[in-house]
Amino acid sequence: MARLNLWRWGVLALAGLYFLVPLAASVVFTVDVPGQGITFDAYTQIFSTDGFVSALLLSLELALATIAVVLLLMVPAMVALRLGAPRLRPVVEVVCSLPLVVPPIAFVAGIGTVLKWGPDHLSRTPLFETFVAIQNPDFPFVLVLAYVVMALPFVYRALDAGLRAVDVRTLVEAARSCGAGWPQALVQAVLPNLRSALLNASFLTLALVLGEFTVAQLLGFRPFAVWIVNVSGSQAQLSVAVSVLSLLVTWVLLLVLAGFGGRTRPTSRG
């Protein structure tokens, strides 16, 4: 037992060094300025840098929209799959896992081809305005559609794990026997028992959107990740400081999510 505990602590120590050493080196790079010593100017300049607020707000808006769309699509589909068509589960799992095997370059190349094809062939139809609207730089909804596809594998796994831990059929039948309709049964009986799964899916989607670069860059938009890369060309310390700050914020969100998802309502005893 002592050897096993020693082995575990050794693995944890190596993992900690693997993650903490690069982070510490990044922090040192941002605060240690040659000729000036230790300074936190890189962090104090973040909020006043041109484009920071707009890029961050755009990424957060895209993340919220992506979370809403992917959950509205996947939660009813997963519940219906578990209740009415369990044999289709392998098919849905394969379809939702496809974004993991499709290279982002190929994915964005296909999106770009469709966006270029639309105006040429649909210029005299009402769909032309749709192609223009989804590419609005203020809120490029085409990125939401792309991120929904990219988030499918993570959302599917999170929801599938949550549904496996819940007797969905019994919950729905109990709600239906009390007079609830299908939407009411889903909202009031099933969703409260999937709180942790929904939070996990939302956090994974948020992390994906905040860190995604390839699709946004190649389509010509400038959310947070693209802004960081563009800033790094002229202000290296500032870009690393922003990356460190965003990483810390992500960790804080993860801890809050873990604490919030693990809380359970106290049961009253008569």
Side-chain angles (χ1 to χ4, degrees):
M1 182 62 67
R3 291 183 177 180
L4 182 59
N5 290 333
L6 182 61
W7 174 254
R8 289 177 178 176
W9 282 110
V11 172
L12 289 176
L14 290 176
L17 290 175
Y18 180 81
F19 288 104
L20 293 178
V21 169
L23 179 60
S26 299
V27 173
V28 171
F29 175 76
T30 58
V31 300
D32 187 12
V33 180
Q36 298 182 17
I38 302 299
T39 176
F40 294 93
D41 291 344
Y43 292 94
T44 58
Q45 295 174 1
I46 290 177
F47 298 99
S48 61
T49 303
D50 184 34
F52 169 77
V53 176
S54 60
L56 181 59
L57 289 178
L58 177 59
S59 289
L60 292 176
E61 292 172 357
L62 292 173
L64 292 176
T66 303
I67 292 171
V69 172
V70 74
L71 290 182
L72 286 175
L73 288 175
M74 290 300 297
V75 172
M78 294 290 292
V79 174
L81 186 68
R82 195 166 185 84
L83 292 177
R87 294 183 179 180
L88 293 178
R89 182 179 175 276
V91 178
V92 176
E93 183 176 3
V94 170
V95 172
C96 291
S97 300
L98 284 178
L100 294 177
V101 299
V102 177
I105 296 297
F107 181 55
V108 72
I111 296 176
T113 301
V114 173
L115 293 179
K116 292 178 181 178
W117 172 85
D120 294 337
H121 297 79
L122 302 175
S123 58
R124 298 183 179 180
T125 67
L127 290 178
F128 176 76
E129 296 297 332
T130 302
F131 272 84
V132 175
I134 64 175
Q135 300 179 70
N136 184 359
D138 294 333
F139 185 78
F141 192 76
V142 64
L143 288 183
V144 174
L145 300 178
Y147 293 156
V148 166
V149 175
M150 297 173 67
L152 283 180
F154 311 106
V155 174
Y156 173 83
R157 292 297 181 185
L159 295 179
D160 184 60
L163 289 171
R164 285 176 178 271
V166 176
D167 191 349
V168 180
R169 187 176 299 277
T170 301
L171 290 174
V172 172
E173 290 178 354
R176 295 281 292 169
S177 65
C178 294
W182 282 104
Q184 189 177 6
L186 176 63
V187 173
Q188 296 185 358
V190 178
L191 291 186
N193 292 277
L194 294 178
R195 182 179 61 179
S196 296
L198 293 173
L199 289 174
N200 291 334
S202 300
F203 179 80
L204 291 172
T205 305
L206 174 65
L208 183 147
V209 174
L210 290 179
E212 201 287 320
F213 170 79
T214 305
V215 175
Q217 171 69 14
L218 294 181
L219 291 181
F221 301 110
R222 200 188 185 197
F224 190 56
V226 177
W227 178 84
I228 292 177
V229 174
N230 292 338
V231 169
S232 65
S234 57
Q235 305 179 58
Q237 284 186 319
L238 179 63
S239 66
V240 176
V242 173
S243 299
V244 171
L245 182 62
S246 62
L247 181 60
L248 293 177
V249 171
T250 303
W251 283 357
V252 171
L253 290 175
L254 179 59
L255 293 175
V256 172
L257 176 65
F260 182 73
R263 293 169 56 186
T264 56
R265 295 180 179 178
T267 58
S268 59
R269 297 181 180 180

